[in-house]
Amino acid sequence: PLNRFQLRTPGFVMRFIGGALRRNPPPFVIGLLNGLMIICGPLQAMYIMAAGTGSPVEGAKMLFVFGLGTLPLMMGFGFLASALSSQFAPKLVRASGAIVVVLGLIMLQRGYVMLNSGTDLHAAMGHTLPVEAPGARMVHTTLAGPGPVAERPEIQAGVPVQWMLMGDGLAACGGRIQVPGLNQTFDIQPGMVTLEFTPAQPGPLRWHCAAGDIEGEFLVKAAVPAKPEIPMAAKIRE
């Protein structure tokens, strides 16, 4: 049924491509179209990053390295497709389409989480996102991989904290996160985890994964003293 919904290439584009193919070798034209006209999310993101360098030389270096990184996969896929028989080629195309759909859903999930919209694939599957409790401070930390986490959230002594962890780095934490300053160890699982604790003392509060590859810290501020209540009689005299 999806074959009926096809977007046709505009006529002037087809005429331009036909003229270019007659004047130049086909591989050159195909490579030019791959770089300029194919709508590829990672490729467009690299274009933006290259433009953000503000230097044609640095931008060209970045795209060159990106091209070298994708070359083995592209060549391997092309070799595999040419080696398969005509019977398996349609199955390979269908499998590729399914993989693209799955990757698209994963990217949507990560985008919704980064936007903190409260609606993502977890909610669609019946899992609810944590809701900030009254009087608590909610902190989000994304663990991208090994190394120190640059984020240094500020929290307040005596105020409960709901710490939501997400990212691919959770799988590399060895199943536990340790907070020596609280003398606590939290069990975690890959995906999205919410931990709760209450800091007592102001100052740096360090944490690290059980494997030691990922670490970070909170900056605990001193508790704000409560304002003394003015007696009712004093208010009346005023």
Side-chain angles (χ1 to χ4, degrees):
L2 293 178
N3 293 333
R4 301 177 182 177
F5 301 95
Q6 295 183 358
L7 298 177
R8 297 184 178 276
T9 306
F12 71 93
V13 175
M14 294 301 299
R15 289 191 293 271
F16 170 78
I17 295 175
L21 287 173
R22 288 191 295 269
R23 293 189 301 269
N24 303 283
F28 173 79
V29 178
I30 294 174
L32 184 65
L33 295 177
N34 181 64
L36 297 179
M37 300 183 64
I38 291 182
I39 302 176
C40 173
L43 186 59
Q44 301 298 332
M46 291 303 301
Y47 286 159
I48 296 174
M49 291 182 63
T53 61
S55 169
V57 177
E58 294 299 323
K61 289 180 181 178
M62 182 178 296
L63 291 176
F64 177 73
V65 174
F66 176 75
L68 288 180
T70 58
L71 185 61
L73 181 61
M74 299 291 289
M75 293 186 64
F77 186 82
F79 176 78
L80 178 63
S82 61
L84 293 176
S85 63
S86 58
Q87 296 179 353
F88 288 97
K91 297 180 180 180
L92 180 62
V93 173
R94 294 191 184 95
S96 301
I99 293 174
V100 170
V101 171
V102 172
L103 292 177
L105 292 175
I106 293 175
M107 294 181 69
L108 284 175
Q109 155 72 9
R110 293 180 177 177
Y112 279 126
V113 171
M114 292 180 65
L115 290 174
N116 194 23
S117 62
T119 303
D120 64 354
L121 295 183
H122 289 274
M125 296 173 62
H127 302 286
T128 57
L129 291 175
V131 179
E132 186 171 358
R137 167 85 160 89
M138 180 171 282
V139 178
H140 300 79
T141 301
T142 301
L143 305 182
V149 177
E151 302 171 359
R152 196 186 185 205
E154 294 185 358
I155 55 180
Q156 188 174 330
V159 176
V161 175
Q162 290 180 300
W163 186 20
M164 190 168 74
L165 294 163
M166 66 191 76
D168 299 334
L170 280 174
C173 270
R176 289 181 299 171
I177 284 185
Q178 299 175 352
V179 186
L182 299 176
N183 196 24
Q184 285 186 280
T185 299
F186 299 96
D187 295 328
I188 62 173
Q189 297 178 354
M192 185 183 300
V193 181
T194 301
L195 309 178
E196 297 182 358
F197 63 90
T198 302
Q201 301 295 331
L205 181 62
R206 295 180 174 84
W207 59 268
H208 61 84
C209 292
D213 295 336
I214 305 177
E215 60 183 2
E217 69 176 14
F218 296 95
L219 181 59
V220 183
K221 298 287 188 177
V224 178
K227 295 182 179 180
E229 295 185 2
I230 301 176
M232 184 61 65
K235 291 183 179 180
I236 295 175
R237 286 196 298 269
E238 292 178 358

